Amino acid sequence: MDLLYRAATATPTPVVSPPTTPYPGSSTGDFFSIIMWPFKWIVEAILVFWHWVLTSVGLPADAGLTWVLSIIGLVIVVRSALIPLFVRQIKSQRKMMEIAPELRKVQEKYRGKKDQLSREAMSRETMALYKKHGTTPVSSCLPLLVQMPILLGMFYTLSDVKKHAEWGFGGVGLLSPELTWQFYEAQLFGVAPLHTNMIEAIDLGQTATVVILVILVILMIVSQFITQLQIISKNLSPEAKTGQAYQMQRIMLYVLPLAFIFSGVFFPLGVVLYWFTSNIWTMVQQFLVIRNLPTPGSDAAKAREERLARKGKALDAQGKIVPLEKYQAEQQRLYEEAQKARAEAPKRQQPVSKQRAKKQQQKGPQSAQKSQNTQKSQKGSGDNTSETK
C-alpha cells in the first residue's frame, strides 16, 4: 500500500527535460482554479472544435497557422455571444455621461452641506435622476463583470498550454495531452513558438519571435487608442464633454493602451494573438455601434442624420427610420400640438406688491358703484328714448 501511495502521489517524469514550469498538480486545490474550471472547459471545447474543423479541411494538426486560426475562431465565438452585453454596456456608459451635467448640478446644490438631511436629500435626488434616465453606475460595470470570467478562461487556457505540455498533461476538458503538445509545438510563420513570451525569446535569441511580439504590441496599442478615440471624439454630446467622466475618458485614452506593453512582455505569443484579435473585434464593434446607435446630439448622431437625409429618410420620435415626408408630417403635427397646448394653458398672473394690491381692493367697491350708476344711466336713457317714440 505504501508503494502504491508513493506511485500515485509521485511527481511524474516531465516530457520536456528540464521543464521550465512548475508541476501543474501543485495548484490543483487552488480555489481560483476551481472557480475557473467551467469557463476553461467551455473555452477548450470551442478551441478544440475549431482545430477539428481546420484539420478536417486539410491543415496540419501541429501547424502554427492551424492553431492561430483556432484562436481567432475562439475569439469570434465568444465575442459574438457577448454582443448583447457589449451593446448594453455602451448604452449604460453613454447614459452615465449624458446625465453627468445634471449630476454635477445636484452636487453643487449640496456642496458644503454635511448634515444628515442634506445628504439624504442629495441621495434621493441622485437616485431619482438615475431612475429617470434608466441607468446606474453599476449597470455600466455589470456587463464587464459578466464578461470577465469568460475572458479569464480564455487567458488561462492559452497560458497553461506550455506548463501542461512540458509535464505531459492535457487541459481540464477536451484539450487532450496530444492536442496540448501539438499546440506547444506550433510556430507562427514556422519561426515563432506560440508558447514563448518576449523575455524567453530574448534569452533564447529568437529574434523573429521578438519582432513579431513588438509589432503585435504596437498594433494592440493603436487599436485600443482608436477604440477609445471613437467614443470621446464622435459619440459624446456637448453636455457630456463638460463632465468629470469625460475627463476620465481622456486620461484613459492615453493610459490604457500602455497596459499592453506589459502584456506583450510577459504573455506568451498565443495569448498576445488572442488579445490582438479581441482588440480588433472591439474596435470594429465599437465603430458599428457608434455608427448605428450614436448618442443623441453627438457628432456621430449628426453624421447619421446627414446620411439618412441624403437617402431621403430621417428618424421619427421613436427613433425609427422613416421616409422624409413622413418625418416632416410628424414634425408639423408635433408643432401644432405644442402650439395648441400653449394656447390652452392658463396664463400666469403677474405678481403685484402689497401696496398695489391694497389700492386695487380700495378701488374695488368704488369701481362697482360706478359700474352700477353707469348701467342705471344707460337704462334711464333707454326709457326716455322709448317714451319719445
Side-chain angles (χ1 to χ4, degrees), residues 349-358 360:
Q349 295 182 352
Q350 293 293 335
V352 295
S353 62
K354 294 182 179 181
Q355 186 176 1
R356 185 175 179 183
K358 186 176 181 180
Q360 289 178 350

Side-chain angles (χ1 to χ4, degrees), residues 191-309:
V191 294
L194 297 180
H195 67 268
T196 304
N197 61 33
M198 187 176 293
I199 294 177
E200 295 172 344
I202 293 174
D203 292 339
L204 297 173
Q206 298 175 351
T207 306
T209 305
V210 174
V211 171
I212 291 174
L213 282 168
V214 170
I215 293 174
L216 285 174
V217 169
I218 293 174
L219 293 176
M220 288 165 64
I221 292 175
V222 171
S223 61
Q224 181 66 34
F225 182 83
I226 293 174
T227 301
Q228 290 293 116
L229 186 63
Q230 287 182 123
I231 299 175
I232 68 173
S233 64
K234 297 181 180 180
N235 203 37
L236 294 180
S237 62
E239 293 79 11
K241 291 183 178 181
T242 61
Q244 187 176 3
Y246 174 71
Q247 300 301 325
M248 291 298 298
Q249 288 279 357
R250 288 187 61 86
I251 294 174
M252 295 300 293
L253 175 66
Y254 299 98
V255 174
L256 189 60
L258 298 179
F260 293 109
I261 297 178
F262 174 85
S263 64
V265 173
F266 296 99
F267 294 167
L269 177 57
V271 177
V272 175
L273 281 169
Y274 146 69
W275 213 309
F276 171 65
T277 306
S278 183
N279 264 21
I280 296 299
W281 178 282
T282 302
M283 183 178 67
V284 175
Q285 189 172 243
Q286 183 76 66
F287 171 79
L288 295 175
V289 169
I290 292 176
R291 180 180 176 84
N292 298 295
L293 295 171
T295 302
S298 64
D299 294 338
K302 295 176 183 177
R304 187 189 184 200
E305 293 173 0
E306 293 175 357
R307 290 196 305 270
L308 292 174

Side-chain angles (χ1 to χ4, degrees), residues 74-341:
L74 174 63
V75 173
I76 291 174
V77 171
V78 174
R79 294 304 300 270
S80 297
L82 295 176
I83 284 178
L85 291 176
F86 175 82
V87 174
R88 181 178 176 183
Q89 180 182 357
I90 291 297
K91 290 182 177 180
S92 298
Q93 291 176 345
R94 187 176 69 184
K95 288 181 179 179
M96 285 300 300
M97 299 193 77
E98 286 178 353
I99 67 175
E102 298 182 55
L103 287 173
R104 190 165 60 252
K105 290 180 181 178
V106 174
Q107 294 170 355
E108 290 293 335
K109 180 179 178 181
Y110 294 97
R111 182 180 296 276
K113 299 179 180 179
K114 299 182 179 181
D115 58 284
Q116 184 67 22
L117 293 177
S118 297
R119 287 200 298 267
E120 291 178 357
M122 180 179 174
S123 178
R124 284 196 302 270
E125 292 186 25
T126 302
M127 295 305 298
L129 194 59
Y130 288 149
K131 185 177 180 180
K132 175 183 176 182
H133 292 271
T135 187
T136 61
V138 178
S139 62
S140 60
C141 299
L142 183 61
L144 181 61
L145 295 177
V146 174
Q147 295 180 47
M148 286 306 295
I150 298 294
L151 300 180
L152 287 175
M154 297 172 70
F155 169 75
Y156 281 107
T157 298
L158 299 178
S159 297
D160 289 344
V161 165
K162 180 179 180 180
K163 178 169 59 177
H164 291 170
E166 288 185 349
W167 288 91
F169 281 87
V172 299
L174 301 180
L175 195 63
S176 65
E178 181 183 0
L179 290 173
T180 303
W181 181 257
Q182 291 174 357
F183 195 116
Y184 179 84
E185 288 289 296
Q187 296 183 349
L188 180 62
F189 304 128
V191 294
L194 297 180
H195 67 268
T196 304
N197 61 33
M198 187 176 293
I199 294 177
E200 295 172 344
I202 293 174
D203 292 339
L204 297 173
Q206 298 175 351
T207 306
T209 305
V210 174
V211 171
I212 291 174
L213 282 168
V214 170
I215 293 174
L216 285 174
V217 169
I218 293 174
L219 293 176
M220 288 165 64
I221 292 175
V222 171
S223 61
Q224 181 66 34
F225 182 83
I226 293 174
T227 301
Q228 290 293 116
L229 186 63
Q230 287 182 123
I231 299 175
I232 68 173
S233 64
K234 297 181 180 180
N235 203 37
L236 294 180
S237 62
E239 293 79 11
K241 291 183 178 181
T242 61
Q244 187 176 3
Y246 174 71
Q247 300 301 325
M248 291 298 298
Q249 288 279 357
R250 288 187 61 86
I251 294 174
M252 295 300 293
L253 175 66
Y254 299 98
V255 174
L256 189 60
L258 298 179
F260 293 109
I261 297 178
F262 174 85
S263 64
V265 173
F266 296 99
F267 294 167
L269 177 57
V271 177
V272 175
L273 281 169
Y274 146 69
W275 213 309
F276 171 65
T277 306
S278 183
N279 264 21
I280 296 299
W281 178 282
T282 302
M283 183 178 67
V284 175
Q285 189 172 243
Q286 183 76 66
F287 171 79
L288 295 175
V289 169
I290 292 176
R291 180 180 176 84
N292 298 295
L293 295 171
T295 302
S298 64
D299 294 338
K302 295 176 183 177
R304 187 189 184 200
E305 293 173 0
E306 293 175 357
R307 290 196 305 270
L308 292 174
R310 287 194 294 267
K311 298 178 182 179
K313 299 179 181 180
L315 294 173
D316 64 3
Q318 286 74 35
K320 298 180 180 179
I321 300 176
V322 297
L324 191 58
E325 296 78 10
K326 186 176 181 180
Y327 169 78
Q328 293 174 344
E330 181 189 52
Q331 293 298 308
Q332 181 63 29
R333 177 179 58 80
L334 293 174
Y335 174 77
E336 293 175 355
E337 290 178 356
Q339 292 294 328
K340 183 179 179 181

